[in-house]
Amino acid sequence: MKIFYYLMLFVCFINTGIVQAQNNYPQNYFRNPLNIPMQLAANFGAVRTNHFHMGLDLRTNSQENLPVLAAAEGYVSRIKVERYGFGNAVYITHPNGYTTVYAHLNKYFNQLDEYVKERQYKDEKWEQDITFQPGQFPVEKGQQIALSGNTGGSAGPHLHFEIRDTKTEECLNPLLFGFAIPDNIAPIISGLYWYDRRFSTYEPGANNIAVKKEGNAYTANLIQVSSPEISFAIKAVDKANKGFNLGIYQTELFMDGNLMYSFKIDKIHYDDTRYINGCIDYTKFIRDKMGIQHLSDLPGMKLQHYSLPNLSGIIKLQDENVHAIEIVLKDVKGNTSRLTTKVQLSKTSEKISYTAKTIMANQGKIITTENTEIAFSKNAMYDAVNFSAYEKPDTDPNAVSNTIVLHNPYIPVQDEYTLKIKPNRKLTNTEKDKAIILLDYGSDKTVVKVKWNGDWAEGKFNRLGTAKLLIDNNLPSVSSGWAEGALVNSSSLLLKGTTKVGDIISFRAELDGKWLRFTRVKDNFVYIFDEKCPKGSGSHTLKVTTINTAGNTNTQTFTFRR
């Protein structure tokens, strides 16, 4: 018995050493940044449009203005104020080599809030990105640093929380730092797919396999495939005991007991986050709103620290035998799900052929039509694409080109490509100055101001869809919610911005000749009354100047009493 006891102790010691070797992050160094229990609305690595989710979204009970606390001692090293993205954010650098980030905030703590406000008035600019020295704003663990909110690219009240390596600026999975979030629920599998890898995952695309749940295990019937080179993908979600559908942390693929592929989401750099498009079935995600993650590497996917080296996940079936497949999914707590099935090569189908317009991963290419040139870098594509580009007439009276069809919006692009369009008539210099390219990719539009290269209108994009060259002479504008000269008793002024094409890229407000700080909330502009315009201060003139993407400028004047 003693020998057995010491043997088990030795095994436990070895296993503990393995775990510690895999996770050298300090445990329980960082506290919960809220005063309520941590509940996840999203975890690290969850699939988002064109990026991984880079932190934890902590639920705030659907409320704003909860106290946000420093997760550990350190100093405020940076703040950001921006329309989209993080909205209002605080960065705290800690002495142990990590930086924590707190985003979508409503308000900083008073001393910091006053500093930011002074800087905005000095710069006459609302958006800010300010860095600080260690002695300027030191903080203690648990000190209130802000109030939670719903600013920036937030779809509802919550706190976005990140932990970064201060030196490399890589975002690290916060769940590896020992936060007490109860979780005994294994990942939930709802779909399995296979792909013919002789040409590309995009053509002919995903082949669906029915999945059955039997107790705590998942199974699928024998999969008969028509290609000797295949790969798999999985549709699955994870859940904590309380929370939303979360992303998958780790997956392993085995064939006949041999590990073929494995990914684990421990750390990601913001420079690499767009590589999410090479980790998922992008077509299914954009077209069908389905999150399906590849269990293989696409040739143009260069995300570091994600999958194990020398394991591509591409299965080469060199016989017609039945082969055992096992897929293992794990969350950070070790909760595990398994899917087992078998695969067999049947009659081989015809292979898709390469064409003159095939764009390969890791190979740049220029595609042309009669009046268009599309230049892709070698890092543009994740997998091979038989690219389709053509022109068709456009009936928009402001269009000065055909509509250019750029394949379809269901194929992702990593690097920006350069699109050149030749107008269908001679343009005046004034028209050239108001020229824009509009790219429509179905779910949204992107508009860029043209850069002229001789007779070619040029713009850069990172989505595919349909494009056209337009002349935009429309003025941007703002509308007020009060009658001219009216007495305003509310706590704020709201101006609603509109422009026919593109965006309002510049907004400037002056109250009685002096710059006034308006916050931008998507297309609205909000000023909260303060000492710049106190009650009883009489009549005021507000001059607002807006500029849109094409460069059209509009100045409007409003009056009110306070």
Short mmCIF file of all heavy atoms in Angstrom, two decimals, residues 385-421:
data_model
loop_
_atom_site.label_atom_id
_atom_site.label_comp_id
_atom_site.label_asym_id
_atom_site.label_seq_id
_atom_site.Cartn_x
_atom_site.Cartn_y
_atom_site.Cartn_z
N VAL A 385 -8.94 30.51 -54.54
CA VAL A 385 -10.23 31.05 -54.98
C VAL A 385 -10.21 31.17 -56.50
O VAL A 385 -9.33 31.83 -57.06
CB VAL A 385 -10.51 32.44 -54.37
CG1 VAL A 385 -11.84 32.99 -54.87
CG2 VAL A 385 -10.49 32.39 -52.86
N ASN A 386 -11.16 30.52 -57.17
CA ASN A 386 -11.35 30.75 -58.60
C ASN A 386 -12.12 32.06 -58.74
O ASN A 386 -13.35 32.09 -58.78
CB ASN A 386 -12.12 29.60 -59.25
CG ASN A 386 -11.20 28.45 -59.61
OD1 ASN A 386 -10.00 28.63 -59.81
ND2 ASN A 386 -11.74 27.25 -59.69
N PHE A 387 -11.36 33.14 -58.82
CA PHE A 387 -11.93 34.48 -58.66
C PHE A 387 -12.76 34.88 -59.87
O PHE A 387 -12.35 34.73 -61.02
CB PHE A 387 -10.82 35.50 -58.43
CG PHE A 387 -11.28 36.78 -57.79
CD1 PHE A 387 -11.42 36.87 -56.42
CD2 PHE A 387 -11.60 37.88 -58.57
CE1 PHE A 387 -11.85 38.05 -55.82
CE2 PHE A 387 -12.04 39.07 -57.99
CZ PHE A 387 -12.17 39.14 -56.61
N SER A 388 -13.93 35.44 -59.57
CA SER A 388 -14.83 35.94 -60.61
C SER A 388 -14.94 37.46 -60.48
O SER A 388 -15.29 37.97 -59.41
CB SER A 388 -16.21 35.30 -60.47
OG SER A 388 -17.14 35.90 -61.34
N ALA A 389 -14.62 38.18 -61.56
CA ALA A 389 -14.74 39.64 -61.57
C ALA A 389 -15.32 40.07 -62.92
O ALA A 389 -14.85 39.62 -63.97
CB ALA A 389 -13.39 40.30 -61.34
N TYR A 390 -16.35 40.90 -62.88
CA TYR A 390 -16.94 41.39 -64.12
C TYR A 390 -17.66 42.70 -63.86
O TYR A 390 -17.86 43.09 -62.70
CB TYR A 390 -17.88 40.35 -64.74
CG TYR A 390 -19.04 39.95 -63.86
CD1 TYR A 390 -20.28 40.60 -63.95
CD2 TYR A 390 -18.92 38.90 -62.96
CE1 TYR A 390 -21.34 40.23 -63.15
CE2 TYR A 390 -19.98 38.52 -62.16
CZ TYR A 390 -21.18 39.18 -62.26
OH TYR A 390 -22.24 38.82 -61.46
N GLU A 391 -18.05 43.37 -64.94
CA GLU A 391 -18.75 44.65 -64.84
C GLU A 391 -20.19 44.50 -65.34
O GLU A 391 -20.47 43.68 -66.22
CB GLU A 391 -18.03 45.71 -65.67
CG GLU A 391 -16.58 45.94 -65.27
CD GLU A 391 -15.90 46.96 -66.16
OE1 GLU A 391 -16.57 47.90 -66.62
OE2 GLU A 391 -14.68 46.83 -66.40
N LYS A 392 -21.07 45.33 -64.76
CA LYS A 392 -22.45 45.39 -65.26
C LYS A 392 -22.94 46.83 -65.15
O LYS A 392 -22.45 47.60 -64.31
CB LYS A 392 -23.35 44.43 -64.49
CG LYS A 392 -23.46 44.71 -63.01
CD LYS A 392 -24.35 43.65 -62.34
CE LYS A 392 -24.54 43.96 -60.85
NZ LYS A 392 -25.38 42.95 -60.18
N PRO A 393 -23.88 47.23 -65.98
CA PRO A 393 -24.35 48.63 -65.96
C PRO A 393 -24.92 49.03 -64.61
O PRO A 393 -25.51 48.21 -63.90
CB PRO A 393 -25.44 48.65 -67.05
CG PRO A 393 -25.12 47.49 -67.93
CD PRO A 393 -24.53 46.44 -67.04
N ASP A 394 -24.74 50.31 -64.26
CA ASP A 394 -25.27 50.85 -63.01
C ASP A 394 -26.21 52.00 -63.34
O ASP A 394 -25.88 52.88 -64.14
CB ASP A 394 -24.13 51.32 -62.10
CG ASP A 394 -24.59 51.57 -60.69
OD1 ASP A 394 -25.32 52.55 -60.45
OD2 ASP A 394 -24.22 50.77 -59.81
N THR A 395 -27.38 52.00 -62.69
CA THR A 395 -28.40 53.02 -62.99
C THR A 395 -28.37 54.21 -62.03
O THR A 395 -29.15 55.14 -62.17
CB THR A 395 -29.80 52.39 -62.94
OG1 THR A 395 -30.01 51.81 -61.65
CG2 THR A 395 -29.94 51.31 -64.01
N ASP A 396 -27.48 54.19 -61.04
CA ASP A 396 -27.39 55.30 -60.09
C ASP A 396 -26.95 56.56 -60.85
O ASP A 396 -25.90 56.56 -61.51
CB ASP A 396 -26.37 54.94 -59.00
CG ASP A 396 -26.32 55.96 -57.88
OD1 ASP A 396 -26.64 57.15 -58.11
OD2 ASP A 396 -25.95 55.58 -56.75
N PRO A 397 -27.74 57.68 -60.77
CA PRO A 397 -27.36 58.89 -61.52
C PRO A 397 -26.04 59.50 -61.07
O PRO A 397 -25.44 60.28 -61.82
CB PRO A 397 -28.53 59.84 -61.26
CG PRO A 397 -29.18 59.33 -60.00
CD PRO A 397 -28.99 57.85 -60.02
N ASN A 398 -25.59 59.16 -59.86
CA ASN A 398 -24.32 59.69 -59.36
C ASN A 398 -23.13 58.80 -59.69
O ASN A 398 -21.99 59.15 -59.40
CB ASN A 398 -24.39 59.90 -57.85
CG ASN A 398 -25.43 60.94 -57.47
OD1 ASN A 398 -25.45 62.03 -58.02
ND2 ASN A 398 -26.29 60.61 -56.52
N ALA A 399 -23.41 57.62 -60.28
CA ALA A 399 -22.34 56.68 -60.61
C ALA A 399 -21.64 57.12 -61.89
O ALA A 399 -22.28 57.55 -62.85
CB ALA A 399 -22.89 55.28 -60.76
N VAL A 400 -20.33 57.02 -61.90
CA VAL A 400 -19.54 57.33 -63.09
C VAL A 400 -18.70 56.12 -63.48
O VAL A 400 -17.61 56.24 -64.03
CB VAL A 400 -18.67 58.59 -62.87
CG1 VAL A 400 -19.53 59.84 -62.83
CG2 VAL A 400 -17.83 58.47 -61.60
N SER A 401 -19.23 54.94 -63.17
CA SER A 401 -18.61 53.68 -63.60
C SER A 401 -19.68 52.62 -63.63
O SER A 401 -20.80 52.83 -63.12
CB SER A 401 -17.49 53.26 -62.65
OG SER A 401 -18.03 52.72 -61.45
N ASN A 402 -19.36 51.50 -64.22
CA ASN A 402 -20.21 50.33 -64.07
C ASN A 402 -20.14 49.83 -62.63
O ASN A 402 -19.25 50.21 -61.86
CB ASN A 402 -19.76 49.22 -65.02
CG ASN A 402 -20.07 49.53 -66.46
OD1 ASN A 402 -21.03 50.23 -66.76
ND2 ASN A 402 -19.25 49.01 -67.37
N THR A 403 -21.05 48.95 -62.28
CA THR A 403 -20.89 48.20 -61.03
C THR A 403 -19.86 47.11 -61.27
O THR A 403 -19.92 46.37 -62.26
CB THR A 403 -22.23 47.56 -60.60
OG1 THR A 403 -23.12 48.59 -60.19
CG2 THR A 403 -22.02 46.60 -59.44
N ILE A 404 -18.89 47.02 -60.36
CA ILE A 404 -17.83 46.02 -60.47
C ILE A 404 -18.15 44.90 -59.49
O ILE A 404 -18.22 45.13 -58.28
CB ILE A 404 -16.45 46.63 -60.14
CG1 ILE A 404 -16.27 47.99 -60.83
CG2 ILE A 404 -15.35 45.64 -60.48
CD1 ILE A 404 -16.36 47.96 -62.33
N VAL A 405 -18.36 43.70 -60.01
CA VAL A 405 -18.63 42.54 -59.15
C VAL A 405 -17.30 41.91 -58.79
O VAL A 405 -16.56 41.43 -59.68
CB VAL A 405 -19.55 41.53 -59.85
CG1 VAL A 405 -19.78 40.32 -58.95
CG2 VAL A 405 -20.89 42.19 -60.20
N LEU A 406 -16.98 41.91 -57.50
CA LEU A 406 -15.72 41.35 -56.98
C LEU A 406 -16.05 40.02 -56.30
O LEU A 406 -16.27 39.97 -55.09
CB LEU A 406 -15.07 42.33 -56.01
CG LEU A 406 -14.80 43.73 -56.59
CD1 LEU A 406 -14.49 44.72 -55.49
CD2 LEU A 406 -13.67 43.67 -57.60
N HIS A 407 -16.14 38.99 -57.11
CA HIS A 407 -16.44 37.63 -56.65
C HIS A 407 -17.74 37.65 -55.84
O HIS A 407 -18.80 37.92 -56.38
CB HIS A 407 -15.27 37.05 -55.87
CG HIS A 407 -15.27 35.56 -55.81
ND1 HIS A 407 -15.04 34.79 -56.92
CD2 HIS A 407 -15.52 34.69 -54.80
CE1 HIS A 407 -15.12 33.51 -56.60
NE2 HIS A 407 -15.41 33.42 -55.32
N ASN A 408 -17.66 37.40 -54.53
CA ASN A 408 -18.84 37.50 -53.67
C ASN A 408 -18.40 37.82 -52.25
O ASN A 408 -17.23 37.63 -51.91
CB ASN A 408 -19.68 36.22 -53.73
CG ASN A 408 -18.97 35.02 -53.13
OD1 ASN A 408 -18.62 35.03 -51.95
ND2 ASN A 408 -18.76 33.98 -53.92
N PRO A 409 -19.30 38.31 -51.39
CA PRO A 409 -18.90 38.74 -50.04
C PRO A 409 -18.66 37.60 -49.08
O PRO A 409 -18.36 37.86 -47.90
CB PRO A 409 -20.09 39.60 -49.59
CG PRO A 409 -21.24 39.09 -50.37
CD PRO A 409 -20.71 38.65 -51.69
N TYR A 410 -18.73 36.33 -49.54
CA TYR A 410 -18.62 35.19 -48.64
C TYR A 410 -17.23 34.56 -48.64
O TYR A 410 -17.01 33.50 -48.07
CB TYR A 410 -19.67 34.13 -49.00
CG TYR A 410 -21.06 34.70 -49.09
CD1 TYR A 410 -21.84 34.55 -50.22
CD2 TYR A 410 -21.58 35.45 -48.03
CE1 TYR A 410 -23.11 35.09 -50.31
CE2 TYR A 410 -22.84 36.01 -48.11
CZ TYR A 410 -23.60 35.83 -49.25
OH TYR A 410 -24.86 36.38 -49.33
N ILE A 411 -16.28 35.24 -49.31
CA ILE A 411 -14.88 34.81 -49.29
C ILE A 411 -14.09 35.89 -48.56
O ILE A 411 -14.18 37.07 -48.91
CB ILE A 411 -14.33 34.62 -50.72
CG1 ILE A 411 -15.12 33.55 -51.47
CG2 ILE A 411 -12.84 34.27 -50.67
CD1 ILE A 411 -15.02 32.16 -50.86
N PRO A 412 -13.30 35.53 -47.54
CA PRO A 412 -12.58 36.55 -46.76
C PRO A 412 -11.28 36.99 -47.41
O PRO A 412 -10.71 36.27 -48.25
CB PRO A 412 -12.30 35.81 -45.44
CG PRO A 412 -12.13 34.38 -45.87
CD PRO A 412 -13.10 34.17 -47.01
N VAL A 413 -10.82 38.17 -47.01
CA VAL A 413 -9.54 38.70 -47.46
C VAL A 413 -8.77 39.12 -46.21
O VAL A 413 -9.31 39.78 -45.34
CB VAL A 413 -9.74 39.91 -48.39
CG1 VAL A 413 -8.40 40.50 -48.80
CG2 VAL A 413 -10.55 39.50 -49.63
N GLN A 414 -7.51 38.74 -46.14
CA GLN A 414 -6.67 39.12 -44.99
C GLN A 414 -6.08 40.51 -45.17
O GLN A 414 -6.42 41.44 -44.47
CB GLN A 414 -5.56 38.08 -44.79
CG GLN A 414 -4.52 38.45 -43.74
CD GLN A 414 -5.04 38.49 -42.32
OE1 GLN A 414 -6.08 37.92 -42.02
NE2 GLN A 414 -4.31 39.16 -41.44
N ASP A 415 -5.21 40.67 -46.14
CA ASP A 415 -4.62 41.97 -46.43
C ASP A 415 -5.57 42.83 -47.26
O ASP A 415 -6.39 42.30 -48.02
CB ASP A 415 -3.32 41.81 -47.23
CG ASP A 415 -2.13 41.53 -46.33
OD1 ASP A 415 -2.32 41.40 -45.11
OD2 ASP A 415 -1.01 41.43 -46.86
N GLU A 416 -5.45 44.15 -47.13
CA GLU A 416 -6.19 45.03 -48.02
C GLU A 416 -5.72 44.82 -49.47
O GLU A 416 -4.53 44.60 -49.73
CB GLU A 416 -5.96 46.49 -47.64
CG GLU A 416 -6.68 46.93 -46.39
CD GLU A 416 -6.54 48.42 -46.15
OE1 GLU A 416 -5.47 48.96 -46.47
OE2 GLU A 416 -7.50 49.02 -45.65
N TYR A 417 -6.67 44.88 -50.39
CA TYR A 417 -6.32 44.86 -51.81
C TYR A 417 -6.57 46.25 -52.39
O TYR A 417 -7.32 47.05 -51.82
CB TYR A 417 -7.14 43.80 -52.56
CG TYR A 417 -8.64 44.02 -52.55
CD1 TYR A 417 -9.28 44.75 -53.55
CD2 TYR A 417 -9.43 43.49 -51.53
CE1 TYR A 417 -10.65 44.95 -53.53
CE2 TYR A 417 -10.80 43.69 -51.50
CZ TYR A 417 -11.40 44.42 -52.50
OH TYR A 417 -12.77 44.63 -52.48
N THR A 418 -5.93 46.53 -53.51
CA THR A 418 -6.09 47.81 -54.18
C THR A 418 -7.03 47.66 -55.36
O THR A 418 -6.82 46.82 -56.24
CB THR A 418 -4.74 48.35 -54.67
OG1 THR A 418 -3.86 48.51 -53.54
CG2 THR A 418 -4.90 49.70 -55.36
N LEU A 419 -8.08 48.48 -55.36
CA LEU A 419 -9.06 48.48 -56.44
C LEU A 419 -8.90 49.76 -57.25
O LEU A 419 -8.96 50.86 -56.71
CB LEU A 419 -10.48 48.39 -55.87
CG LEU A 419 -11.64 48.54 -56.86
CD1 LEU A 419 -11.64 47.42 -57.88
CD2 LEU A 419 -12.98 48.60 -56.12
N LYS A 420 -8.69 49.61 -58.56
CA LYS A 420 -8.60 50.75 -59.47
C LYS A 420 -9.78 50.70 -60.45
O LYS A 420 -10.05 49.65 -61.03
CB LYS A 420 -7.29 50.74 -60.25
CG LYS A 420 -6.05 50.96 -59.40
CD LYS A 420 -4.80 50.97 -60.27
CE LYS A 420 -3.54 51.19 -59.46
NZ LYS A 420 -2.33 51.20 -60.32
N ILE A 421 -10.45 51.84 -60.60
CA ILE A 421 -11.60 51.92 -61.50
C ILE A 421 -11.39 53.10 -62.46
O ILE A 421 -11.05 54.20 -62.02
CB ILE A 421 -12.92 52.11 -60.74
CG1 ILE A 421 -13.14 50.97 -59.73
CG2 ILE A 421 -14.09 52.20 -61.71
CD1 ILE A 421 -14.38 51.14 -58.88
#
